[in-house]
Amino acid sequence: MKIISAYVENFGKISQKQFNFDEELTEIDEKNGWGKTTLAMFIKVLLYGFKDTRKKNINENERLKYKPWNNGIYGGNLIIQYKGEKYKIEKSFGKTLREDETTIINLQTNKIDRTFSENIGEDIFKLDRESFERSIYVGQQVVEVRTSDDLRAKLTKLDAIGEDDMDKYKEATSLLDNKIQYLKKKLKVEDERKKYLETRILEYSQIEHAYNNSIDEVKSMRVEKNNILNNIENIEKDIKRHNENQVKEEKRKRFETLKKSRDEKYIEKQEIINFFNQDELERDKNLESLEDGILKQEDRYERNKILRKEIDMLKLKEQYKTEEFDEIKLENLKRDNKILICGVLALIVGLIFLKNIIGIILILVGVVLLGFYMDMNRKKKSEYEILKQKKDKIKLEIEEIQNQIMQFAEEMENNNEQAYEFIKRYIKDISKIDISDGKYLQELHYKRTDLERIINQYEESEKQVREFEENNNIDELMDDETVIETKEKLEIELQRLKDCKEILLHNLTAKEKEVQIFESNFEEKQELEEELQNKEDTIKEFSCYLEKIEKTRKILGQAQENLSTRYLKKMKDGLKKYLDIISENDDNIKDVTINTELEVCIEFEGKSKELGYYSIGYKDLISLATRFALIDAIFDSEKPFIILDDPFVNLDKDKIENANDLIRQISKKYQIIYFTCHESRNIGV
């Protein structure tokens, strides 16, 4: 299989470029940053596509790393020759694998060829991408050779058996490896569980003594709890008796208070009754006659008081009018005399000066003043008459009231005699009452009211005493009981016991839970012992099963090893041939060995040395020779192309010449696309 050309529409920094490749050796010598690695990656991606990853790191995500710099169409095409036919591989890339598009065209028929998959490299080389990179694609700084399942199958020719059979082989080995891994993990888990169970069972054996101590503590705490509860019950009974006695004492005091109030009301009633004539009160229990008599006498005295007040008012009024009359009379008299004198003087002077105008004027003034004086006297006379009439009227009213008072006094005297006789019937000692003053009626009224009030109060007190006696056992109530300790001391002791009870109950509950945990643990111990036995059986069963699986995998691996060893001689011969070319007569490389993992060892002074003992340059040379030997071993008929992305950066000048000779010889057998960035590593084609 050969690459004829490549067209890059947009891939990384390369845009719209055409590349044509020689059938043997194409050397691309450009400076760093030109895009050599990008072009090599383009060829690989056209054959195998991008790795499917969602990583954001650009160095771990090829799709992001080689995204076009100018944001154009992402992709291009590759023209190859395979088994005498030419094919054009067209690819365009999207943001994800699903958005990628692949078209393969047979250029002889110009028709789309659907016999190939999107990853045509796997169909042509029978290698997956990883095996491709470990064989014919030599990336920058990745010369070292490592094996893979596909390479191992190619070496042992298992791929010639058929893909289905090869897949079944891979599936079988994979299943065995997975089963071995699963069984080891399972055995590890089971063994850890077994150790845990053994530890737990040992712990349970060590806590039996603690369990017995907890049982004893629970029993002791329960006895203490019962004692506290009994003491609390006894104290509560004492407090109850104390409360009952207290209630009883309060009732007794209440009864004594009721009786005392009743007796006091009785004495007060008797004192008032003694003031009155009891015989009359008995005959006139409602005291209506006494009340009526008191009211009549009070009415008379009130009327007398009113009349006296009216007389006093009239007298004051009469005195005021008299004083007003006298004052007006005196004032008018003074004023009238002045007018009269002035008038007379004016006439006299006027008569003296009669012939003069002044005399005439004075005469006229005198006449006017005398006329005014006469008119004023006439008006004053009328006012005096009105005042005199009012004054006389007041005198008449006073005389009339005085007559009424005199008449009323006579009536009062008669009424007093009647009242005396009337009141005498009700008052036991009439000499103590001054009936000449109306206040005795008021006192009598108060006594009469007090009597009625005290009678009602006494009857109410008597009723309360009677009801109390009906509702209570008086004999039992009056029976004194021996008083025990004070209630305060009892309540303090009760609270102390309750606090002790709460603390004890809390501790008892905690200790009972602890016992329950112990008991449940002992039950769990039996379960753990049973589980431990089951685990031991399971571990034994899994161990036997694992041993069988490992033997099977070992036999299958040995069979593959036996197949691989058949072709190691060819690999060794090819490696020795290529090492002779690149090392000439180098004493450091005498003999080489290679194992089925493609690990190379070099014989030096009778000892086998791994590549790790050699410099980077030596390792790169030997690894490149191993690559070529590997390619010879796995490709018999259809020869592949080989991509070399500047693999000689670690070689000195002499070794580069030898390496270039090797490339020239290899190019006669395989198509080689060689990238370099320095003229010292040019092959010179």
Side-chain angles (χ1 to χ4, degrees):
M1 182 257 181
K2 294 183 179 181
I3 300 176
I4 297 173
S5 66
Y7 173 74
V8 181
E9 180 68 29
N10 287 291
F11 194 86
K13 68 182 295 183
I14 303 176
S15 177
Q16 297 181 348
K17 283 190 178 182
Q18 176 75 31
F19 300 93
N20 297 314
F21 302 101
D22 191 271
E23 289 188 359
E24 292 185 358
L25 176 61
T26 300
E27 182 177 16
I28 299 176
D29 180 10
E30 297 290 347
K31 295 180 180 180
N32 286 332
W34 178 85
K36 300 183 293 298
T37 300
T38 300
L39 179 58
M41 176 60 72
F42 175 80
I43 294 171
K44 180 170 63 174
V45 170
L46 263 288
L47 293 172
Y48 284 95
F50 284 117
K51 289 182 179 179
D52 188 20
T53 179
R54 296 183 180 179
K55 294 181 178 180
K56 301 299 182 182
N57 189 334
I58 194 170
N59 293 319
E60 297 178 349
N61 191 322
E62 296 173 348
R63 190 181 297 273
L64 290 177
K65 184 175 182 179
Y66 293 101
K67 186 178 179 181
W69 289 15
N70 62 0
N71 294 322
I73 297 174
Y74 196 178
N77 66 67
L78 192 69
I79 297 177
I80 65 172
Q81 182 175 339
Y82 175 64
K83 290 184 178 181
E85 300 284 340
K86 291 184 178 181
Y87 298 92
K88 185 178 183 181
I89 305 169
E90 296 178 346
K91 276 186 179 288
S92 63
F93 304 105
K95 293 181 179 180
T96 62
L97 182 63
R98 292 184 178 182
E99 297 178 8
D100 294 349
E101 294 183 0
T102 302
T103 304
I104 301 174
I105 301 173
N106 188 321
L107 295 180
Q108 273 67 37
T109 62
N110 288 324
K111 293 182 178 180
I112 296 175
D113 192 323
R114 291 186 171 83
T115 59
F116 296 103
S117 65
E118 291 183 352
N119 298 329
I120 189 172
E122 293 183 357
D123 300 329
I124 292 174
F125 301 120
K126 308 301 181 187
L127 295 174
D128 57 17
R129 177 175 168 140
E130 179 186 20
S131 301
F132 174 78
E133 293 171 343
R134 295 183 181 185
S135 56
I136 63 178
Y137 184 89
V138 183
Q140 198 172 37
Q141 301 291 335
V142 190
V143 184
E144 182 184 358
V145 180
R146 290 176 296 164
T147 188
S148 67
D149 289 340
D150 281 1
L151 290 177
R152 196 177 292 111
K154 279 277 190 181
L155 284 170
T156 58
K157 303 304 179 184
L158 287 175
D159 61 328
I161 299 174
E163 289 189 12
D164 292 341
D165 293 328
M166 186 60 194
D167 290 341
K168 289 178 181 178
Y169 169 78
K170 291 180 181 179
E171 182 179 355
T173 55
S174 177
L175 286 173
L176 289 172
D177 290 338
N178 291 338
K179 195 67 175 178
I180 290 170
Q181 187 177 7
Y182 167 76
L183 288 172
K184 285 182 177 180
K185 289 182 179 179
K186 189 69 175 176
L187 278 171
K188 183 179 179 181
V189 172
E190 296 294 330
D191 188 59
E192 289 177 353
R193 180 63 179 173
K194 175 189 172 185
K195 291 178 180 178
Y196 169 77
L197 293 172
E198 290 172 344
T199 302
R200 291 288 291 156
I201 291 170
L202 181 61
E203 290 174 355
Y204 289 141
S205 300
Q206 295 172 348
I207 63 175
E208 290 185 2
H209 178 69
Y211 168 72
N212 293 329
N213 289 338
S214 296
I215 289 291
D216 293 338
E217 289 182 24
V218 168
K219 291 179 180 178
S220 175
M221 292 169 76
R222 285 175 178 171
V223 171
E224 185 179 356
K225 182 190 76 171
N226 292 332
N227 291 334
I228 290 176
L229 292 176
N230 290 332
N231 291 335
I232 289 175
E233 183 179 0
N234 292 332
I235 291 178
E236 286 177 342
K237 288 180 179 179
D238 291 342
I239 291 175
K240 183 179 179 182
R241 288 169 53 207
H242 196 287
N243 291 335
E244 289 174 352
N245 289 340
Q246 190 172 7
V247 172
K248 186 176 178 180
E249 180 64 22
E250 290 175 357
K251 285 185 176 181
R252 185 162 51 239
K253 289 179 180 179
R254 170 66 177 162
F255 183 59
E256 294 295 337
T257 301
L258 290 174
K259 289 197 302 179
K260 182 179 179 182
S261 176
R262 181 196 63 182
D263 295 342
E264 289 174 352
K265 293 295 185 291
Y266 177 79
I267 293 170
E268 188 177 355
K269 184 190 75 169
Q270 290 301 120
E271 288 177 354
I272 297 175
I273 287 175
N274 291 334
F275 177 80
F276 292 100
N277 188 335
Q278 194 167 356
D279 294 336
E280 290 298 327
L281 288 176
E282 288 294 329
R283 286 195 297 270
D284 193 3
K285 291 183 179 180
N286 292 328
L287 303 177
E288 292 179 356
S289 300
L290 179 60
E291 184 71 21
D292 292 342
I294 291 171
L295 291 175
K296 288 177 181 179
Q297 292 299 326
E298 286 180 348
D299 182 59
R300 292 190 183 99
Y301 275 100
E302 286 299 321
R303 286 172 57 198
N304 187 37
K305 288 179 181 180
I306 292 171
L307 288 173
R308 291 182 182 280
K309 287 181 180 180
E310 287 182 359
I311 290 173
D312 292 338
M313 289 177 64
L314 287 171
K315 285 182 178 180
L316 289 173
K317 191 174 181 181
E318 179 189 18
Q319 183 181 356
Y320 172 75
K321 290 297 182 182
T322 302
E323 292 175 355
E324 181 183 12
F325 179 78
D326 294 340
E327 183 179 353
I328 292 173
K329 183 177 179 181
L330 179 60
E331 183 179 352
N332 287 336
L333 182 60
K334 290 179 180 180
R335 187 171 53 192
D336 292 346
N337 289 336
K338 288 180 181 180
I339 294 172
L340 177 62
I341 291 169
C342 290
V344 171
L345 287 174
L347 285 174
I348 293 171
V349 174
L351 289 173
I352 293 172
F353 297 98
L354 182 62
K355 293 181 179 182
N356 197 330
I357 188 66
I358 296 173
I360 296 171
I361 293 172
L362 290 173
I363 290 171
L364 291 174
V365 170
V367 172
V368 171
L369 289 174
L370 290 174
F372 181 70
Y373 171 76
M374 292 176 66
D375 185 60
M376 285 184 63
N377 281 336
R378 182 175 53 80
K379 290 181 178 180
K380 290 298 179 181
K381 185 177 182 180
S382 177
E383 290 179 3
Y384 295 154
E385 289 296 329
I386 293 172
L387 288 173
K388 189 173 182 302
Q389 290 176 3
K390 289 182 178 181
K391 181 179 177 184
D392 293 340
K393 185 178 179 181
I394 291 172
K395 285 182 177 181
L396 291 174
E397 289 178 356
I398 291 172
E399 290 175 357
E400 184 179 353
I401 291 174
Q402 286 177 342
N403 292 331
Q404 290 180 4
I405 289 173
M406 291 177 62
Q407 183 180 355
F408 181 73
E410 294 177 359
E411 291 179 359
M412 280 295 295
E413 187 176 354
N414 296 329
N415 289 334
N416 283 341
E417 293 179 0
Q418 294 176 5
Y420 181 82
E421 294 298 329
F422 173 76
I423 293 171
K424 186 178 179 182
R425 292 171 43 216
Y426 296 98
I427 303 303
K428 182 174 287 188
D429 188 2
I430 194 65
S431 62
K432 296 180 179 180
I433 302 298
D434 185 7
I435 62 173
S436 63
D437 188 356
K439 291 183 179 180
Y440 79 92
L441 295 172
Q442 187 177 13
E443 183 180 355
L444 191 62
H445 174 71
Y446 290 157
K447 288 288 185 180
R448 178 251 181 273
T449 304
D450 287 344
L451 177 60
E452 186 173 342
R453 174 183 58 78
I454 201 64
I455 289 173
N456 291 333
Q457 291 179 353
Y458 172 74
E459 290 177 352
E460 179 64 25
S461 296
E462 180 66 26
K463 179 182 177 183
Q464 290 177 354
V465 171
R466 186 169 58 255
E467 289 178 350
F468 188 90
E469 290 175 342
E470 291 174 355
N471 296 328
N472 296 277
N473 189 334
I474 302 302
D475 295 336
E476 180 181 345
L477 191 65
M478 302 307 291
D479 183 21
D480 291 334
E481 186 174 347
T482 303
V483 179
I484 55 178
E485 280 191 273
T486 61
K487 183 179 178 182
E488 289 75 12
K489 289 183 178 180
L490 291 172
E491 289 176 342
I492 291 172
E493 179 64 15
L494 177 63
Q495 186 60 47
R496 187 190 70 79
L497 289 173
K498 285 184 176 180
D499 293 340
C500 292
K501 183 191 74 171
E502 291 300 322
I503 296 172
L504 182 63
L505 289 176
H506 175 76
N507 295 335
L508 178 59
T509 301
K511 188 60 67 175
E512 288 175 341
K513 287 182 179 179
E514 184 179 306
V515 171
Q516 290 176 357
I517 292 172
F518 279 134
E519 292 174 348
S520 63
N521 286 340
F522 292 138
E523 294 176 359
E524 186 179 0
K525 179 184 176 184
Q526 295 178 353
E527 296 175 358
L528 292 176
E529 289 173 342
E530 293 177 1
E531 185 181 355
L532 177 61
Q533 184 61 46
N534 293 333
K535 289 298 174 189
E536 290 174 347
D537 295 341
T538 301
I539 289 172
K540 184 177 180 181
E541 181 181 350
F542 279 3
S543 298
C544 293
Y545 188 32
L546 176 61
E547 184 180 357
K548 293 178 182 179
I549 296 295
E550 286 179 333
K551 285 182 180 179
T552 303
R553 180 65 179 90
K554 184 177 180 181
I555 292 170
L556 192 60
Q558 287 175 348
Q560 186 185 18
E561 286 287 327
N562 293 334
L563 288 172
S564 299
T565 54
R566 298 180 191 178
Y567 303 99
L568 288 181
K569 185 177 184 305
K570 186 176 180 180
M571 278 285 300
K572 181 179 179 182
D573 293 341
L575 176 59
K576 184 69 172 65
K577 179 181 67 173
Y578 292 129
L579 286 176
D580 288 342
I581 295 174
I582 61 177
S583 63
E584 292 183 348
N585 295 319
D586 194 339
D587 293 336
N588 290 323
I589 303 177
K590 297 297 184 182
D591 195 12
V592 295
T593 59
I594 187 169
N595 61 23
T596 55
E597 295 299 322
L598 303 184
E599 296 172 341
V600 177
C601 291
I602 298 175
E603 192 74 22
F604 181 75
E605 294 182 357
K607 294 182 180 180
S608 182
K609 297 291 186 181
E610 297 177 356
L611 288 183
Y613 288 98
Y614 290 86
S615 67
I616 296 176
Y618 264 116
K619 285 196 293 184
D620 285 353
L621 277 175
I622 295 170
S623 296
L624 186 62
T626 306
R627 285 256 190 172
F628 291 148
L630 175 64
I631 294 170
D632 287 342
I634 62 178
F635 293 102
D636 291 333
S637 55
E638 188 70 24
K639 301 298 181 181
F641 63 87
I642 300 174
I643 293 178
L644 301 175
D645 188 3
D646 213 353
F648 305 139
V649 293
N650 297 315
L651 303 184
D652 58 27
K653 184 177 179 180
D654 294 336
K655 290 184 177 61
I656 287 177
E657 278 298 325
N658 294 335
N660 287 341
D661 289 339
L662 176 62
I663 297 301
R664 293 188 193 99
Q665 292 187 36
I666 293 294
S667 66
K668 296 176 182 179
K669 190 174 182 180
Y670 302 101
Q671 181 189 27
I672 294 179
I673 300 173
Y674 176 74
F675 298 95
T676 186
C677 65
H678 198 276
E679 60 182 9
S680 64
R681 296 192 290 275
N682 286 353
I683 297 175
V685 295

